[in-house]
Amino acid sequence: GCLMAIEFSGDFVVKTPQKEAFAVLSDAARFSPMLPTYQSCEACDDGTSNVAVKVGVGKIRGTAIVNLALVDRQPPKSATWAGKGKILGGAFTLGAGFDLDEVGPSETQIRWNGNVTIFGRLTSLAGGVLQPIARKQIDELIGAIRAALDGGR
């Protein structure tokens, strides 16, 4: 019972060519700053990135370092991220996948799915507040992606 998983998905259309949208969504340096409580991103030698995010859920306060890896990329069609991190003696994993379809000369439909799994002490600390907070964070992330890709057009 020390495991809690949350999944989300949705889709949206942006006024950005497919290649350009893919370039943003498959580059940690461009993608990670859109995470809602982003603080910093450091590239590692193995091609992954350590992303620092602020966490404030119930009794869980502090900075979590998420090791983010692009686990699958099929330019300019899809990008899939996987991350793992620790905070307050608990561990979590997260995933985000993006499928891109060209719907016009400079319009791209993005179908996305995201998941968060928390283990150990975090489940009791975060408890019932995790789901609405995760939902809000994911809405903010999707909002930031849409703004970045639709920006200035």
Side-chain angles (χ1 to χ4, degrees), residues 14-56:
V14 290
K15 290 183 181 15
T16 303
Q18 186 185 28
K19 266 197 180 116
E20 204 178 303
F22 175 82
V24 171
L25 293 174
S26 61
D27 179 355
R30 295 172 75 179
F31 172 68
S32 58
M34 296 190 248
L35 295 166
T37 56
Y38 170 84
Q39 288 182 302
S40 63
C41 174
E42 189 188 329
C44 306
D45 294 339
D46 61 2
T48 65
S49 299
N50 283 332
V51 180
V53 290
K54 256 200 172 81
V55 178

Side-chain angles (χ1 to χ4, degrees), residues 10-17 21 99-104 106-112 142 145-147 149-151 153:
D11 64 86
F12 56 91
V13 173
V14 290
K15 290 183 181 15
T16 303
D99 284 305
L100 290 72
D101 288 306
E102 196 169 51
V103 289
S106 58
E107 274 196 317
T108 307
Q109 182 189 37
I110 298 173
R111 289 191 314 274
W112 60 273
I142 297 303
I145 291 171
R146 294 181 75 158
L149 294 178
D150 261 341
R153 278 170 217 287

Side-chain angles (χ1 to χ4, degrees), residues 39-122:
Q39 288 182 302
S40 63
C41 174
E42 189 188 329
C44 306
D45 294 339
D46 61 2
T48 65
S49 299
N50 283 332
V51 180
V53 290
K54 256 200 172 81
V55 178
V57 181
K59 301 189 179 89
I60 307 167
R61 301 254 169 240
T63 300
I65 303 291
V66 183
N67 182 248
L68 202 58
L70 186 63
V71 288
D72 187 45
R73 60 190 294 272
Q74 293 168 20
K77 286 278 199 205
S78 69
T80 307
W81 292 94
K84 50 186 192 295
K86 284 190 170 66
I87 189 167
L88 291 181
F92 61 91
T93 62
L94 49 91
F98 301 97
D99 284 305
L100 290 72
D101 288 306
E102 196 169 51
V103 289
S106 58
E107 274 196 317
T108 307
Q109 182 189 37
I110 298 173
R111 289 191 314 274
W112 60 273
N113 59 78
N115 59 76
V116 181
T117 307
I118 57 174
F119 307 91
R121 285 184 56 204
L122 289 184

